[in-house]
Amino acid sequence: MATARTKAKAQGGRDGKTTLEGSNVWFALQLQKEFGGSGAGSNPEQFFALGYSACFNSALLFVASQKKIDV
């Protein structure tokens, strides 16, 4: 099975930016207004939620395909 690898770099903590190596992808990080930030960027928990939901969905689709369930 092939393994995908990537490297990410974060600068400035929650008031900085994060980038993916070898890519033009970058994200501004800012605390939410509710926590005293400007709310102008994303927070790391939002990215965790995106990744978790994508992996969970893939797991469900895999199990469904093994059981021949059309989703």
Coordinates of all heavy atoms in Angstrom, one line a residue:
M1 N 0.8 -1.2 0.0 CA 0.0 0.0 0.0 C 0.9 1.2 0.0 O 1.8 1.3 0.8 CB -0.9 0.0 1.2 CG -1.7 1.2 1.4 SD -2.7 1.3 2.9 CE -4.2 0.5 2.3
A2 N 0.6 2.2 -0.8 CA 1.4 3.4 -0.9 C 1.0 4.3 0.2 O -0.1 4.4 0.7 CB 1.1 4.1 -2.2
T3 N 2.0 5.0 0.7 CA 1.8 6.0 1.8 C 2.1 7.4 1.3 O 3.1 7.7 0.7 CB 2.8 5.7 2.9 OG1 2.6 4.3 3.4 CG2 2.6 6.6 4.1
A4 N 1.1 8.3 1.5 CA 1.3 9.7 1.1 C 1.9 10.4 2.3 O 1.6 10.2 3.4 CB -0.1 10.3 0.8
R5 N 2.9 11.3 2.0 CA 3.5 12.0 3.0 C 3.5 13.5 2.6 O 3.6 13.8 1.4 CB 5.0 11.6 3.2 CG 5.1 10.2 3.7 CD 6.5 9.8 3.8 NE 6.6 8.4 4.1 CZ 7.2 7.9 5.2 NH1 7.9 8.8 6.0 NH2 7.2 6.7 5.5
T6 N 3.5 14.4 3.6 CA 3.5 15.8 3.4 C 4.2 16.4 4.6 O 4.2 15.8 5.7 CB 2.1 16.4 3.1 OG1 2.3 17.7 2.6 CG2 1.2 16.3 4.3
K7 N 4.6 17.6 4.4 CA 5.2 18.4 5.5 C 4.5 19.7 5.6 O 4.2 20.3 4.6 CB 6.7 18.6 5.3 CG 7.5 17.4 5.5 CD 9.0 17.8 5.4 CE 9.9 16.5 5.5 NZ 11.3 16.9 5.4
A8 N 4.2 20.1 6.8 CA 3.5 21.4 7.0 C 4.4 22.2 7.9 O 5.1 21.7 8.8 CB 2.2 21.2 7.7
K9 N 4.3 23.5 7.8 CA 5.1 24.5 8.6 C 4.2 25.5 9.1 O 3.4 26.1 8.4 CB 6.2 25.1 7.7 CG 7.1 26.1 8.5 CD 8.2 26.6 7.6 CE 9.1 27.6 8.3 NZ 10.1 28.1 7.4
A10 N 4.3 25.8 10.4 CA 3.4 26.9 11.0 C 4.4 27.9 11.6 O 5.4 27.6 12.1 CB 2.6 26.3 12.1
Q11 N 4.0 29.2 11.4 CA 4.7 30.3 11.9 C 3.8 31.2 12.7 O 2.7 31.5 12.2 CB 5.4 31.1 10.8 CG 6.4 30.3 10.0 CD 7.0 31.1 8.8 OE1 6.2 31.7 8.1 NE2 8.3 31.0 8.6
G12 N 4.2 31.7 13.8 CA 3.4 32.7 14.6 C 2.3 32.1 15.4 O 1.4 32.9 15.9
G13 N 2.2 30.8 15.6 CA 1.2 30.2 16.4 C -0.2 30.5 15.9 O -0.5 30.5 14.7
R14 N -1.1 30.8 16.7 CA -2.5 31.1 16.3 C -2.7 32.4 15.7 O -3.8 32.8 15.3 CB -3.4 30.9 17.5 CG -3.5 29.5 18.0 CD -4.4 29.4 19.2 NE -4.6 28.0 19.6 CZ -5.6 27.2 19.1 NH1 -6.4 27.7 18.2 NH2 -5.6 26.0 19.4
D15 N -1.7 33.3 15.7 CA -1.8 34.5 15.0 C -0.7 34.6 13.9 O 0.0 35.5 13.7 CB -1.6 35.7 15.9 CG -2.7 35.9 16.9 OD1 -3.9 35.7 16.4 OD2 -2.5 36.1 18.1
G16 N -0.7 33.5 13.1 CA 0.3 33.4 12.1 C -0.2 32.8 10.8 O -1.3 33.1 10.4
K17 N 0.6 31.9 10.2 CA 0.1 31.2 9.0 C 0.7 29.8 9.0 O 1.7 29.5 9.7 CB 0.6 32.0 7.8 CG 2.0 31.9 7.4 CD 2.3 32.6 6.1 CE 3.8 32.4 5.7 NZ 4.0 32.9 4.4
T18 N 0.1 29.0 8.2 CA 0.6 27.6 8.0 C 0.7 27.3 6.5 O -0.2 27.8 5.8 CB -0.3 26.6 8.8 OG1 0.3 25.3 8.7 CG2 -1.7 26.5 8.3
T19 N 1.7 26.6 6.1 CA 1.9 26.3 4.7 C 2.1 24.8 4.5 O 2.6 24.1 5.5 CB 3.1 27.0 4.1 OG1 4.2 26.7 4.9 CG2 2.8 28.5 4.2
L20 N 1.9 24.3 3.3 CA 2.2 22.9 3.0 C 3.5 23.0 2.1 O 3.5 23.7 1.1 CB 1.1 22.2 2.3 CG -0.2 21.9 3.1 CD1 -1.3 21.4 2.2 CD2 0.2 21.0 4.2
E21 N 4.5 22.2 2.4 CA 5.7 22.2 1.6 C 5.5 21.7 0.2 O 4.7 20.8 0.0 CB 6.7 21.2 2.3 CG 8.1 21.2 1.7 CD 9.0 20.3 2.4 OE1 9.0 19.1 2.1 OE2 9.8 20.8 3.2
G22 N 6.1 22.4 -0.7 CA 6.0 22.0 -2.1 C 4.6 22.3 -2.7 O 4.2 21.8 -3.8
S23 N 3.9 23.3 -2.1 CA 2.6 23.6 -2.6 C 2.4 25.1 -2.4 O 3.1 25.8 -1.6 CB 1.6 22.9 -1.7 OG 0.3 23.4 -2.0
N24 N 1.5 25.7 -3.1 CA 1.1 27.1 -2.9 C 0.0 27.2 -1.9 O -0.6 28.3 -1.8 CB 0.6 27.7 -4.3 CG 1.8 27.9 -5.2 OD1 2.9 28.1 -4.8 ND2 1.5 27.7 -6.5
V25 N -0.3 26.1 -1.2 CA -1.4 26.2 -0.2 C -0.9 26.8 1.1 O 0.1 26.4 1.6 CB -1.9 24.7 0.1 CG1 -3.0 24.7 1.2 CG2 -2.5 24.2 -1.2
W26 N -1.6 27.8 1.6 CA -1.3 28.4 2.9 C -2.6 28.9 3.5 O -3.6 29.1 2.8 CB -0.3 29.5 2.8 CG -0.8 30.7 2.0 CD1 -0.8 30.9 0.7 CD2 -1.4 31.9 2.6 NE1 -1.3 32.1 0.4 CE2 -1.7 32.7 1.6 CE3 -1.7 32.2 3.9 CZ2 -2.3 34.0 1.8 CZ3 -2.3 33.5 4.1 CH2 -2.6 34.3 3.0
F27 N -2.6 29.0 4.8 CA -3.8 29.4 5.5 C -3.4 30.5 6.6 O -2.4 30.3 7.3 CB -4.5 28.3 6.2 CG -5.0 27.3 5.2 CD1 -4.3 26.1 5.0 CD2 -6.2 27.4 4.6 CE1 -4.7 25.2 4.1 CE2 -6.7 26.5 3.7 CZ -5.9 25.4 3.4
A28 N -4.1 31.5 6.7 CA -4.0 32.5 7.8 C -4.6 31.9 9.0 O -5.7 31.4 9.0 CB -4.6 33.8 7.4
L29 N -3.9 32.0 10.2 CA -4.5 31.6 11.4 C -4.8 32.8 12.3 O -3.9 33.7 12.4 CB -3.4 30.7 12.1 CG -3.0 29.4 11.3 CD1 -1.9 28.7 12.1 CD2 -4.2 28.5 11.1
Q30 N -5.9 32.8 12.9 CA -6.3 33.8 13.8 C -7.3 33.2 14.9 O -8.1 32.3 14.5 CB -7.1 34.9 13.1 CG -6.2 35.8 12.3 CD -5.3 36.7 13.1 OE1 -5.7 37.3 14.1 NE2 -4.0 36.8 12.6
L31 N -7.2 33.7 16.1 CA -8.2 33.2 17.1 C -9.6 33.7 16.6 O -9.7 34.8 16.0 CB -7.9 33.8 18.4 CG -6.8 33.1 19.2 CD1 -6.5 33.9 20.5 CD2 -7.2 31.7 19.6
Q32 N -10.6 33.0 17.0 CA -11.9 33.4 16.8 C -12.3 34.6 17.6 O -11.7 34.9 18.7 CB -12.9 32.3 17.2 CG -12.7 31.0 16.3 CD -13.4 29.9 17.0 OE1 -13.2 29.5 18.1 NE2 -14.3 29.2 16.2
K33 N -13.2 35.4 17.2 CA -13.6 36.6 17.9 C -14.1 36.3 19.4 O -13.8 37.0 20.3 CB -14.8 37.3 17.2 CG -14.3 38.0 16.0 CD -15.5 38.8 15.3 CE -15.0 39.5 14.1 NZ -16.0 40.3 13.4
E34 N -14.7 35.1 19.5 CA -15.2 34.7 20.8 C -14.0 34.5 21.8 O -14.2 34.5 23.0 CB -16.0 33.4 20.7 CG -17.2 33.5 19.9 CD -17.0 33.3 18.4 OE1 -15.9 32.9 18.0 OE2 -17.9 33.6 17.6
F35 N -12.8 34.3 21.3 CA -11.7 34.1 22.2 C -10.7 35.2 22.1 O -9.5 35.1 22.5 CB -10.9 32.8 21.8 CG -11.8 31.6 21.9 CD1 -12.2 30.8 20.8 CD2 -12.2 31.1 23.2 CE1 -13.0 29.7 21.0 CE2 -12.9 30.0 23.4 CZ -13.4 29.3 22.3
G36 N -11.2 36.4 21.7 CA -10.4 37.6 21.7 C -9.6 37.9 20.5 O -8.8 38.8 20.4
G37 N -9.7 37.1 19.4 CA -9.0 37.3 18.2 C -9.8 38.1 17.2 O -10.9 38.5 17.5
S38 N -9.2 38.3 16.0 CA -9.9 39.1 15.0 C -10.9 38.3 14.2 O -11.8 38.8 13.6 CB -8.9 39.7 14.0 OG -8.3 38.6 13.2
G39 N -10.7 37.0 14.2 CA -11.6 36.1 13.5 C -11.4 36.2 12.0 O -12.2 35.6 11.2
A40 N -10.3 36.8 11.6 CA -10.0 37.0 10.1 C -9.4 35.8 9.5 O -9.3 35.7 8.3 CB -9.1 38.2 9.9
G41 N -9.0 34.8 10.3 CA -8.4 33.6 9.7 C -9.1 32.3 10.3 O -10.2 32.4 10.8
S42 N -8.5 31.2 10.1 CA -9.0 29.9 10.6 C -8.2 29.5 11.9 O -7.1 30.0 12.1 CB -8.8 28.8 9.6 OG -9.6 29.2 8.4
N43 N -8.8 28.7 12.7 CA -8.0 28.1 13.8 C -7.7 26.7 13.5 O -8.4 26.0 12.8 CB -8.8 28.4 15.1 CG -10.0 27.6 15.2 OD1 -10.0 26.3 15.1 ND2 -11.2 28.2 15.5
P44 N -6.7 26.1 14.2 CA -6.2 24.8 13.9 C -7.3 23.7 14.1 O -7.4 22.7 13.4 CB -5.1 24.6 14.8 CG -4.5 25.9 15.0 CD -5.7 26.8 15.0
E45 N -8.2 23.9 15.0 CA -9.3 23.0 15.3 C -10.2 22.8 14.1 O -10.7 21.7 13.8 CB -10.1 23.4 16.5 CG -9.4 23.2 17.8 CD -8.4 24.4 18.2 OE1 -8.4 25.4 17.4 OE2 -7.8 24.2 19.2
Q46 N -10.3 23.9 13.3 CA -11.2 23.7 12.1 C -10.5 22.8 11.1 O -11.2 22.0 10.4 CB -11.4 25.1 11.5 CG -12.3 26.0 12.3 CD -12.3 27.4 11.8 OE1 -11.3 28.0 11.5 NE2 -13.5 28.0 11.6
F47 N -9.2 22.9 11.0 CA -8.5 22.0 10.0 C -8.5 20.5 10.5 O -8.6 19.6 9.8 CB -7.0 22.5 9.8 CG -7.0 23.8 9.2 CD1 -6.4 24.9 9.8 CD2 -7.5 24.0 7.9 CE1 -6.4 26.1 9.2 CE2 -7.4 25.2 7.3 CZ -6.9 26.3 7.9
F48 N -8.4 20.4 11.9 CA -8.5 19.0 12.4 C -9.9 18.4 12.1 O -10.0 17.3 11.7 CB -8.3 19.0 13.9 CG -8.4 17.7 14.6 CD1 -7.4 16.8 14.5 CD2 -9.6 17.4 15.2 CE1 -7.5 15.5 15.1 CE2 -9.7 16.1 15.8 CZ -8.7 15.2 15.7
A49 N -10.9 19.2 12.3 CA -12.3 18.8 12.0 C -12.4 18.4 10.5 O -13.1 17.4 10.2 CB -13.3 19.9 12.4
L50 N -11.8 19.1 9.6 CA -11.9 18.8 8.2 C -11.3 17.4 7.9 O -11.8 16.6 7.2 CB -11.2 19.9 7.3 CG -11.9 21.2 7.2 CD1 -11.0 22.2 6.6 CD2 -13.2 21.1 6.5
G51 N -10.1 17.2 8.4 CA -9.4 16.0 8.2 C -10.1 14.8 8.9 O -10.2 13.7 8.3
Y52 N -10.5 15.0 10.1 CA -11.2 13.9 10.8 C -12.5 13.5 10.0 O -12.7 12.3 9.8 CB -11.6 14.3 12.2 CG -12.1 13.2 13.0 CD1 -11.3 12.4 13.8 CD2 -13.5 13.0 13.1 CE1 -11.8 11.4 14.6 CE2 -14.0 11.9 13.8 CZ -13.2 11.1 14.6 OH -13.7 10.1 15.3
S53 N -13.3 14.5 9.6 CA -14.5 14.1 8.9 C -14.2 13.4 7.6 O -15.0 12.5 7.2 CB -15.4 15.4 8.7 OG -14.7 16.3 7.8
A54 N -13.2 13.8 6.9 CA -12.9 13.2 5.6 C -12.4 11.7 5.8 O -12.8 10.8 5.1 CB -11.8 13.9 4.9
C55 N -11.6 11.5 6.9 CA -11.1 10.1 7.2 C -12.3 9.3 7.6 O -12.4 8.1 7.3 CB -10.0 10.2 8.2 SG -8.5 10.8 7.6
F56 N -13.2 9.8 8.5 CA -14.3 9.1 9.0 C -15.2 8.7 7.8 O -15.7 7.5 7.7 CB -15.1 9.9 10.0 CG -16.2 9.1 10.7 CD1 -15.9 8.2 11.7 CD2 -17.5 9.4 10.3 CE1 -16.9 7.5 12.3 CE2 -18.5 8.7 10.9 CZ -18.3 7.7 11.9
N57 N -15.5 9.6 6.9 CA -16.3 9.3 5.8 C -15.7 8.2 4.9 O -16.4 7.3 4.4 CB -16.5 10.6 4.9 CG -17.5 10.4 3.8 OD1 -17.0 10.3 2.7 ND2 -18.8 10.3 4.1
S58 N -14.4 8.3 4.7 CA -13.7 7.2 3.9 C -13.9 5.9 4.6 O -14.0 4.9 3.9 CB -12.3 7.6 3.7 OG -12.1 8.7 2.9
A59 N -13.7 5.8 5.9 CA -13.9 4.6 6.6 C -15.3 4.0 6.4 O -15.5 2.8 6.2 CB -13.6 4.8 8.1
L60 N -16.3 4.9 6.5 CA -17.7 4.4 6.3 C -17.9 3.9 4.9 O -18.5 2.8 4.7 CB -18.7 5.5 6.6 CG -18.8 6.0 8.1 CD1 -19.8 7.2 8.2 CD2 -19.3 4.8 8.9
L61 N -17.4 4.6 3.9 CA -17.5 4.2 2.5 C -16.8 2.8 2.3 O -17.3 2.0 1.6 CB -17.0 5.2 1.6 CG -17.8 6.5 1.5 CD1 -17.0 7.6 0.7 CD2 -19.2 6.3 1.0
F62 N -15.6 2.6 2.9 CA -14.9 1.4 2.8 C -15.7 0.2 3.3 O -15.9 -0.8 2.7 CB -13.5 1.5 3.4 CG -12.8 0.1 3.4 CD1 -12.2 -0.3 2.3 CD2 -12.8 -0.6 4.6 CE1 -11.6 -1.5 2.3 CE2 -12.1 -1.8 4.6 CZ -11.5 -2.3 3.4
V63 N -16.2 0.4 4.6 CA -17.0 -0.7 5.2 C -18.3 -1.0 4.4 O -18.6 -2.1 4.2 CB -17.4 -0.3 6.7 CG1 -18.4 -1.3 7.3 CG2 -16.1 -0.3 7.5
A64 N -18.9 0.1 3.9 CA -20.1 -0.1 3.1 C -19.8 -0.9 1.8 O -20.6 -1.8 1.4 CB -20.8 1.2 2.8
S65 N -18.7 -0.6 1.2 CA -18.3 -1.3 0.0 C -18.0 -2.8 0.2 O -18.3 -3.7 -0.6 CB -17.1 -0.6 -0.7 OG -15.9 -0.8 0.0
Q66 N -17.4 -3.1 1.4 CA -17.1 -4.4 1.8 C -18.3 -5.3 2.0 O -18.4 -6.5 1.8 CB -16.2 -4.5 3.0 CG -14.8 -3.9 2.8 CD -14.0 -4.6 1.7 OE1 -13.8 -5.8 1.9 NE2 -13.6 -3.9 0.7
K67 N -19.4 -4.6 2.5 CA -20.6 -5.2 2.8 C -21.6 -5.1 1.6 O -22.8 -5.5 1.8 CB -21.2 -4.7 4.1 CG -20.3 -5.0 5.3 CD -21.0 -4.6 6.6 CE -20.2 -5.0 7.7 NZ -20.2 -6.4 8.1
K68 N -21.1 -4.6 0.5 CA -22.0 -4.4 -0.7 C -23.2 -3.6 -0.4 O -24.3 -3.8 -0.9 CB -22.4 -5.8 -1.3 CG -21.3 -6.8 -1.5 CD -20.6 -6.5 -2.8 CE -19.6 -7.7 -3.1 NZ -18.3 -7.5 -2.8
I69 N -23.0 -2.5 0.4 CA -24.1 -1.6 0.6 C -23.9 -0.4 -0.2 O -22.8 0.3 -0.2 CB -24.1 -1.2 2.1 CG1 -24.3 -2.4 3.0 CG2 -25.1 -0.1 2.4 CD1 -24.1 -2.1 4.5
D70 N -24.9 0.0 -1.0 CA -24.8 1.2 -1.8 C -25.1 2.5 -1.0 O -26.2 2.6 -0.5 CB -25.8 1.1 -3.0 CG -25.8 2.2 -4.0 OD1 -24.7 2.9 -4.0 OD2 -26.8 2.5 -4.6
V71 N -24.1 3.3 -0.9 CA -24.3 4.6 -0.2 C -24.3 5.7 -1.2 O -24.0 6.7 -1.2 CB -23.3 4.7 0.9 CG1 -23.5 3.7 2.0 CG2 -21.9 4.7 0.4

